[in-house]
Amino acid sequence: MMAEKPEGLNKCLRDFSEEARELYLNQSVPYLELPPSPLEFYRDWIGPNKPCIIRNAFNHWPALSRWSPDYFREKLGSKVISVAVTPDGYADAVSDGRFVMPEERSMTFSSLLDVIEGKVEQPGVYYVQKQCSNLTEELPELTADIEEDIPWMSQALGRSPDAVNFWMGEASAVTSLHKDHYENLYCVISGEKTFILLPPSDRPFIPYGLYPPAVYRQAADGRFEVDEQTDAEKVPWIPLDPLDPDLERYGSYRGARPLLCRVAAGEMLYLPSLWFHHVRQSQGCIAVNFWYDMDYDIKYNYYQLLDTLSGLTPQP
């Protein structure tokens, strides 16, 4: 159970969020028609911790014209990759009082494409979402089709990206609401991604709980079972679905002001660290993202305090 906060503290947290909106947050995600200089990007976006969508930032990548099912079949058809499989598309999400992770399945790229293109019917929802620099580690054959980093971002932060990830899957695959401590540049190669974004200052309105971890397993008859990890620690996670928020149960979410943005092919989303985000995509959407793991002691300590005041760590 989460401890009840004094009304005075509740008011301060609500006022903090409202003042952030009035002082510096945008009411929608702005577009930049060209990539900025490193100084401009740090000054206008990284420093204020605000998202934006950047156009014409990677028009020169061969991936934009090359990456297609036919190209992948020819270049990677027999390549074995890691694919997340779930019964309903929700991986790493709260379900029936548990934090359930996907079944991580090894399969050839051609087999994945057969599912995505509807050539083969399989139970479950398939999504390439492994977030350990899977593009450079599992799919090095594709690295020549993109840049190894985003030069103006790397110059602004003074470092190279810590991970470069490849994303591809079915339209039913959903990334549940969460936040990361990475600076994130999300590049859509084909299709479209839809993001719901909430700033860190909306933390007081976002519910958290502690949930026992579990993993989906597909049985021989095709049904999905849930294996509980009884020896593992509980996971703090957000139980609320912003597509259909249960406001009777999580009434505080009424105070949140989510931003909806769509990132089309050839566009790049700058997703600042610690912003809450929920992600959907069109069928077969292909994307690449660059993670920069920064050591923002002041920033993290500030938002950790906000987490603590908002009750991020409820008592089991």
Side-chain angles (χ1 to χ4, degrees):
M1 296 290 293
M2 294 180 64
E4 194 73 23
K5 297 188 292 294
E7 181 54 35
L9 177 57
N10 280 327
K11 182 178 185 305
C12 287
L13 292 170
R14 292 193 298 268
D15 290 348
F16 169 76
S17 179
E18 187 62 34
E19 289 167 4
R21 294 174 194 142
E22 293 176 357
L23 289 173
Y24 76 97
L25 291 175
N26 298 304
Q27 295 183 356
S28 61
V29 179
Y31 284 85
L32 307 182
E33 292 301 324
L34 292 170
S37 70
L39 176 59
E40 290 171 336
F41 195 65
Y42 197 96
R43 180 192 64 205
D44 298 339
W45 305 101
I46 297 174
N49 205 46
K50 297 194 299 184
C52 62
I53 296 173
I54 308 159
R55 291 171 169 155
N56 303 302
F58 54 100
N59 291 346
H60 55 291
W61 287 7
L64 283 172
S65 58
R66 290 179 181 172
W67 287 8
S68 67
D70 289 342
Y71 179 79
F72 289 151
R73 285 185 189 278
E74 179 181 348
K75 198 172 186 70
L76 301 165
S78 60
K79 182 86 174 185
V80 176
I81 58 172
S82 299
V83 181
V85 185
T86 60
D88 57 2
Y90 281 80
D92 299 329
V94 175
S95 177
D96 293 329
R98 294 167 291 197
F99 174 74
V100 190
M101 295 167 280
E103 176 183 334
E104 292 289 345
R105 188 175 302 176
S106 296
M107 59 193 303
T108 65
F109 214 116
S110 285
S111 297
L112 170 68
L113 292 171
D114 287 342
V115 173
I116 291 176
E117 293 185 291
K119 296 180 178 181
V120 172
E121 289 190 9
Q122 293 281 2
V125 179
Y126 291 65
Y127 194 23
V128 180
Q129 62 156 32
K130 197 170 184 179
Q131 301 166 43
C132 56
S133 207
N134 67 337
L135 191 143
T136 56
E137 297 300 317
E138 289 195 354
L139 301 168
E141 300 89 343
L142 297 180
T143 56
D145 295 337
I146 65 169
E147 287 184 297
E148 63 183 13
D149 72 346
I150 305 298
W152 43 269
M153 180 66 155
S154 296
Q155 291 177 43
L157 295 175
R159 64 182 299 159
S160 299
D162 294 274
V164 184
N165 300 309
F166 175 90
W167 306 77
M168 184 179 185
E170 299 187 81
S172 298
V174 175
T175 302
S176 68
L177 188 65
H178 71 289
K179 65 178 178 180
D180 299 309
H181 63 276
Y182 307 106
E183 299 289 349
N184 192 343
L185 287 176
Y186 213 110
C187 310
V188 177
I189 307 298
S190 69
E192 181 180 83
K193 291 275 184 180
T194 301
F195 290 79
I196 297 174
L197 306 178
L198 294 112
S201 52
D202 271 6
R203 170 62 186 88
F205 311 121
I206 297 172
Y208 265 87
L210 283 173
Y211 301 94
V215 179
Y216 285 118
R217 302 289 183 208
Q218 190 171 10
D221 61 3
R223 294 182 300 107
F224 280 86
E225 301 172 346
V226 176
D227 289 346
E228 295 192 14
Q229 299 183 324
T230 54
D231 296 334
E233 293 184 359
K234 291 185 176 181
V235 178
W237 207 257
I238 301 168
L240 178 136
D241 183 353
L243 296 176
D244 185 23
D246 184 348
L247 297 180
E248 290 297 318
R249 188 172 185 181
Y250 307 113
S252 63
Y253 189 71
R254 290 187 176 92
R257 295 293 182 270
L259 303 178
L260 178 69
C261 71
R262 292 182 172 86
V263 187
E267 295 179 342
M268 171 192 295
L269 171 67
Y270 167 55
L271 178 59
S273 60
L274 304 178
W275 272 66
F276 298 93
H277 51 287
H278 172 282
V279 193
R280 292 169 290 158
Q281 64 276 316
S282 58
Q283 183 73 11
C285 177
I286 304 169
V288 171
N289 79 313
F290 295 79
W291 275 354
Y292 293 80
D293 189 0
M294 304 302 295
D295 185 14
Y296 293 135
D297 284 344
I298 295 177
K299 181 177 179 181
Y300 291 158
N301 290 341
Y302 181 73
Y303 285 119
Q304 181 62 46
L305 175 61
L306 184 60
D307 275 337
T308 302
L309 293 175
S310 301
L312 171 61
T313 312
Q315 298 300 314

